[in-house]
């Protein structure tokens, strides 16, 4: 049964079938032809997969991200980032990386970050004499940090399928996201220094203060989200609603770049994206149930306990599997399928569940821009109008940098958990 299921899934994927269709249809065909299970059970699993309290945060954070992009919050974050780091060697590229990290902390959406930052910063990098392949690779990789830095949608999904505290995952994601971003910034500095690229004049204290004041309302969003969660004022799900309402008020009444027509389009776009994510979650839950019935988790756990005797080796295997999976599958689907399979074994080996979540998300963040199906590649192509082959030199260089960050996150747990230990 499991063999046919996996064969059908890979067949559908390689024929360019959407992932949710591949998982759903493969599961239904397997049940109909190889089992006596009532197909109606799969329908129940479809709806049961999205009947989770933690998933209620998704539409709110998606709506908040879209409001921020249209309502002027992202452009002010960009100007503030440039005033902050534009004078450093590689200033324009540094601005792209830093602003992607901050916008990721506002939106939690990787493709949204690529679009919001890339539309403005890609032309700036080309004017600054940066190679096109470097600029494209930076955009694709910089946007992926949104998977790690809270309020990450993928961290919410991991918490929902494993029961790990979303709030704890958010705090750990801050440390991991910083390491991930710094790894790219080191390469940016070396590249810009080697090619003698221009940089901005250092912003005066007055200019920096002015940019900070203009971006202050946007910069408050992560403070409100994380501060509210850890002070007990609201849950992570309620934080999503608060961030959306806050972004709407700022866009309408403070920055005044939002109107009813734009808001209507934002709502439609957010509803479509929410539906896409939840359909994917439903299909992945059906597949996960099928794998569980086929005792795949038990088989994996048995194989690992028999053949892997150290945490070090287990984490190597986990990273390799997730990096490969990330090449073909979107982060949400990968988490829903893989997390329930390896979570019990990881706990049995003494791995901190929050650390496990950060490791998994960091892997899948790299997968967001890894060929052949990394979604950030296709989003970046829409901005740069480059072919994938032309982007590959830049993508590969940032891939290496981020893998180094992944190794640090994996084998130095305190690198990502130190904030959690301070707060806890």
């Amino acid at each position: 049964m499991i063999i046919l299921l996996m064969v059908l899934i890979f067949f559908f994927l390689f024929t360019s079938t959407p992932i949710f269709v591949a998982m759903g249809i493969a599961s239904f065909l397997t049940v109909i032809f190889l089992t006596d299970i009532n197909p109606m059970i799969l329908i129940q699993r479809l709806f049961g997969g999205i009947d989770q309290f933690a998933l209620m945060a998704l539409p709110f954070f998606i709506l908040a991200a879209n409001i921020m992009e249209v309502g002027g919050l992202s452009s002010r974050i960009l100007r503030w980032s440039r005033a902050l780091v534009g004078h450093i060697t590689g200033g324009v590229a540094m601005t792209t990386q830093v602003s992607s990290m901050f916008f990721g902390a506002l939106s939690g959406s990787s493709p949204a970050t690529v679009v919001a930052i890339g539309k403005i910063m890609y032309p700036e990098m080309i004017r600054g004499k940066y190679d096109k392949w470097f600029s494209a690779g930076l955009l694709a990789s910089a946007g992926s940090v949104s998977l790690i830095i809270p309020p990450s949608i993928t961290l919410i999904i991991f918490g929902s399928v494993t029961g790990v505290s979303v709030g704890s995952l958010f705090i750990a994601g801050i440390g991991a996201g910083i390491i991930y971003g710094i790894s790219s910034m080191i390469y940016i500095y070396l590249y810009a220094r080697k090619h003698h690229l221009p940089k901005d004049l250092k912003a005066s204290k007055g200019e920096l203060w002015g940019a900070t004041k203009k971006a202050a309302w946007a910069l408050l969003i992560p403070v409100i989200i994380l501060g509210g969660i850890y002070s007990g004022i609201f849950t992570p799900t309620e934080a999503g609603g608060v961030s959306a309402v806050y972004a709407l008020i700022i866009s309408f009444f403070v920055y005044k770049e939002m109107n009813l027509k734009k808001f209507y389009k934002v709502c439609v776009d957010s509803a479509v994206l929410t539906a896409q994510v939840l359909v994917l979650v439903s299909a992945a839950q059906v597949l996960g149930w099928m794998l569980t019935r086929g005792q795949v988790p038990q088989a994996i756990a048995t194989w690992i306990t028999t053949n892997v005797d150290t945490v070090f080796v287990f984490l190597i295997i986990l990273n390799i599997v997730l990096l490969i999976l990330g090449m073909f599958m979107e982060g949400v689907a990968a988490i829903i399928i893989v997390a329930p399979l390896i979570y019990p074994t990881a706990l049995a080996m003494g791995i901190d569940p929050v650390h496990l979540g950060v490791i998994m998300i960091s892997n899948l963040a790299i997968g967001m821009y890894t060929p052949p199906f990394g979604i950030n590649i296709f989003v970046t192509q829409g901005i740069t109008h480059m072919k994938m082959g032309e982007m590959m030199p830049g993508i590969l260089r940032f891939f290496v940098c981020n893998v180094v960050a992944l190794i640090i996150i994996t084998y130095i747990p305190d690198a990502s958990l130190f904030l959690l230990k301070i707060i806890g």
Side-chain angles (χ1 to χ4, degrees):
M1 179 182 76
I2 297 300
I3 293 175
L4 175 63
L5 178 63
M6 300 313 296
V7 168
L8 286 173
I9 288 175
F10 280 107
F11 170 77
F12 286 130
L13 288 177
F14 280 105
T15 55
S16 300
T17 304
I19 294 175
F20 76 92
V21 175
M23 291 189 292
I25 296 298
S27 299
F28 273 91
L29 291 176
T30 302
V31 164
I32 291 172
F33 290 109
L34 288 184
T35 73
D36 56 359
I37 299 172
N38 188 335
M40 287 301 297
I41 294 178
L42 297 187
I43 302 296
Q44 295 172 355
R45 292 287 168 178
L46 275 172
F47 287 98
I50 57 176
D51 186 18
Q52 301 181 52
F53 180 74
L55 291 178
M56 290 176 63
L58 285 176
F60 292 124
F61 280 122
I62 290 172
L63 176 61
N66 288 334
I67 291 172
M68 291 169 201
E69 181 183 350
V70 176
L73 282 78
S74 59
S75 60
R76 285 166 176 79
I77 289 289
L78 270 170
R79 287 194 286 271
W80 176 79
S81 299
R82 189 155 189 172
L84 188 68
V85 300
H87 63 282
I88 301 174
T89 300
V92 178
M94 289 284 189
T95 300
T96 302
Q97 180 66 51
V98 171
S99 56
S100 294
M101 294 169 70
F102 274 96
F103 190 78
L106 301 180
S107 69
S109 171
S110 182
T113 300
V114 175
V115 172
I117 305 302
K119 284 181 179 179
I120 300 172
M121 295 310 299
Y122 179 72
E124 288 290 319
M125 286 190 282
I126 298 302
R127 281 193 290 269
K129 307 299 182 183
Y130 289 82
D131 290 318
K132 288 186 176 181
W133 57 262
F134 174 89
S135 303
L138 173 58
L139 284 181
S141 64
S144 66
V145 77
S146 300
L147 261 70
I148 307 172
I149 290 182
S152 162
I153 292 171
T154 320
L155 284 175
I156 295 171
I157 297 296
F158 180 86
S160 73
V161 300
T162 61
V164 178
S165 166
V166 174
S168 297
L169 289 168
F170 277 5
I171 295 298
I174 295 173
I178 291 172
I179 294 169
Y180 191 90
I182 288 175
S183 69
S184 294
M185 293 171 73
I186 291 172
Y187 172 60
I188 291 169
Y189 176 85
L190 296 175
Y191 169 87
R193 186 173 179 179
K194 178 181 178 181
H195 292 84
H196 307 288
L197 295 173
K199 54 186 176 182
D200 296 343
L201 293 174
K202 186 173 182 178
S204 66
K205 290 182 179 179
E207 290 171 334
L208 180 57
W209 175 243
T212 302
K213 284 197 298 183
K214 291 179 180 178
W217 293 104
L219 294 171
L220 275 175
I221 292 181
V223 177
I224 292 171
I225 292 172
L226 297 177
I229 291 172
Y230 271 87
S231 63
I233 297 174
F234 42 70
T235 66
T237 298
E238 292 165 346
V242 170
S243 65
V245 173
Y246 177 85
L248 186 62
I249 292 172
I250 299 304
S251 299
F252 259 111
F253 302 110
V254 179
Y255 295 154
K256 299 180 180 179
E257 294 190 20
M258 179 71 74
N259 55 41
L260 291 177
K261 184 177 180 180
K262 290 181 179 179
F263 180 58
Y264 173 78
K265 186 177 186 305
V266 162
C267 290
V268 172
D269 291 343
S270 300
V272 170
L273 182 56
T274 299
Q276 291 172 342
V277 173
L278 291 181
V279 166
L280 187 62
V281 170
S282 296
Q285 288 282 19
V286 170
L287 177 61
W289 181 75
M290 291 289 295
L291 293 174
T292 302
R293 277 192 62 91
Q295 306 219 334
V296 173
Q298 296 89 326
I300 292 174
T302 301
W303 184 88
I304 290 175
T305 53
T306 303
N307 298 279
V308 179
D309 55 1
T310 67
V311 173
F312 184 87
V313 176
F314 172 77
L315 291 176
I316 289 176
I317 295 172
L318 177 63
N319 282 338
I320 292 173
V321 169
L322 288 172
L323 284 173
I324 294 173
L325 192 64
M327 297 179 183
F328 301 95
M329 190 172 289
E330 197 269 336
V332 171
I335 285 293
I336 293 173
I337 294 171
V338 176
L341 300 181
I342 60 93
Y343 182 74
T345 305
L347 290 186
M349 299 191 77
I351 298 173
D352 186 294
V354 176
H355 185 218
L356 175 68
V358 171
I359 292 171
M360 293 190 68
I361 304 304
S362 299
N363 274 283
L364 296 171
I366 295 174
M368 290 297 292
Y369 67 93
T370 306
F373 298 127
I375 189 170
N376 282 9
I377 295 177
F378 303 112
V379 176
T380 303
Q381 282 181 313
I383 296 170
T384 64
H385 307 293
M386 294 173 66
K387 295 180 180 178
M388 187 181 295
E390 296 172 323
M391 297 167 57
M392 282 306 297
I395 288 173
L396 290 175
R397 285 165 173 79
F398 283 101
F399 174 84
V400 172
C401 296
N402 294 153
V403 166
V404 172
L406 173 63
I407 293 171
I408 295 172
I409 292 167
T410 300
Y411 292 108
I412 307 178
D414 285 344
S416 54
L417 300 181
F418 72 95
L419 277 177
L420 191 60
K421 292 181 178 180
I422 292 173
I423 295 174

